[in-house]
Amino acid sequence: MKKTILINLILFILSFNVWAQPIQLKTDELSLNISSSGQITTMMNPKTGKNYLAIGERHLY
């Protein structure tokens, strides 16, 4: 349920290009940072500290 809400929130935020500020979304199991240009800069498990993006890699969706 939390993941569904998180995904819907991400899609809602990314659908509006009006806000040009970085976004940080966080749950118990996922921390997601999105840059002002819409790139996912961090996809991390806060409990383990593991970042699931490769070093230096960003994804634009």
Side-chain angles (χ1 to χ4, degrees):
M1 182 69 175
K2 287 182 182 180
K3 291 179 184 179
T4 304
I5 292 171
L6 181 63
I7 290 170
N8 287 332
L9 182 61
I10 291 169
L11 293 174
F12 176 75
I13 291 171
L14 292 177
S15 67
F16 295 99
N17 205 9
V18 177
W19 301 294
Q21 57 185 339
I23 299 168
Q24 182 179 19
L25 304 171
K26 190 172 184 180
T27 66
D28 293 337
E29 300 174 357
L30 178 68
S31 175
L32 184 69
N33 292 337
I34 303 172
S35 72
S36 58
S37 63
Q39 294 181 330
I40 298 174
T41 57
T42 307
M43 190 180 324
M44 180 185 300
N45 183 335
K47 291 180 180 178
T48 64
K50 181 176 180 179
N51 188 350
Y52 290 96
L53 292 181
I55 295 174
E57 185 170 337
R58 295 180 179 181
H59 294 282
L60 180 61
Y61 293 108

